[in-house]
Amino acid sequence: MADPVEIVDHDPGWPADFAALGRTMRAALGSVAVRIDHIGSTSVPGLAAKPVIDVQIAVRSLEPLAAFKRPLELVGLVHRAGNPELTKRYFREAPGHRRTHVHVREHGSFSQQLPLLFRDYLRAHPAAASEFAEAKRRCADRFRDAREEYVAAKEPYVWDIVRRADAWAQRTGWRPGPSDA
């Protein structure tokens, strides 16, 4: 496999990497983007992760695609039209650029809220983040050259955190904070 699964220690530069991307995307998208957020493991301080910056852009509607596709292409992102997830549009970095995953989802949808809840729960619960990091490392060690198997192996850990995050949200009245960019 040309792209092995690699989990690395948290890089304190990841928030700055996102901030630069976020500013660029905000300038390109303007009000088309209701929110632009740093999501995924690189958005959680101290959490080991694949060195990939995940960005979530919330838009009012996924149609028309042109409302956000062309601006994102102009800043160097490539639309992945074959993405099987129907609740998002997916973009990646251009060849030769820093690994970036951009998830465009409808503002207020379950699929848009879930990554924010997941992130915020792990930020508020460092012990859970540490448990998740260890699980990801074990899965990556076992499935280093089999990305789909790695994703499937860590899925039970993800859903366990989602259950805990939902209970936390119900107890605290969690709501997403302001947009990151």
Side-chain angles (χ1 to χ4, degrees):
M1 180 176 172
D3 190 18
V5 176
E6 177 188 20
I7 303 297
V8 300
D9 289 340
H10 179 80
D11 181 339
W14 287 336
D17 292 345
F18 164 78
L21 286 166
R23 281 189 301 274
T24 299
M25 291 177 189
R26 175 57 69 199
L29 292 165
S31 64
V32 169
V34 178
R35 298 180 61 101
I36 300 174
D37 293 291
H38 189 187
I39 61 167
S41 294
T42 62
S43 71
V44 179
L47 181 57
K50 294 187 304 292
V52 176
I53 301 295
D54 281 287
V55 178
Q56 178 172 262
I57 299 170
V59 295
R60 287 173 191 79
S61 176
L62 294 177
E63 300 299 333
L65 177 64
F68 52 86
K69 181 178 181 275
R70 185 69 181 143
L72 291 175
E73 289 174 338
L74 289 172
V75 298
L77 294 165
V78 177
H79 179 234
R80 297 291 180 103
N83 174 58
E85 292 182 48
L86 299 180
T87 61
K88 77 175 181 182
R89 303 300 177 258
Y90 183 57
F91 294 79
R92 287 275 306 268
E93 76 286 347
H97 289 84
R98 188 196 198 299
R99 188 73 177 267
T100 307
H101 297 172
V102 179
H103 314 265
V104 180
R105 295 182 170 113
E106 284 193 20
H107 180 65
S109 67
F110 176 79
S111 64
Q112 184 258 333
Q113 296 288 304
L114 185 60
L116 298 175
L117 173 60
F118 192 88
R119 175 200 69 187
D120 289 355
Y121 177 79
L122 290 178
R123 284 179 175 176
H125 298 86
S130 181
E131 291 171 25
F132 187 45
E134 288 308 310
K136 291 192 309 176
R137 287 185 193 279
R138 285 192 307 272
C139 293
D141 286 346
R142 186 167 176 206
F143 298 108
R144 178 175 170 76
D145 295 316
R147 186 167 297 277
E148 288 182 21
E149 286 86 345
Y150 163 77
V151 170
K154 77 173 185 166
E155 188 172 310
Y157 302 102
V158 170
W159 284 108
D160 178 59
I161 291 169
V162 168
R163 282 189 295 276
R164 290 189 269 166
D166 179 59
W168 173 71
Q170 298 306 317
R171 283 191 315 274
T172 64
W174 172 86
R175 295 182 66 77
S179 175
D180 293 334

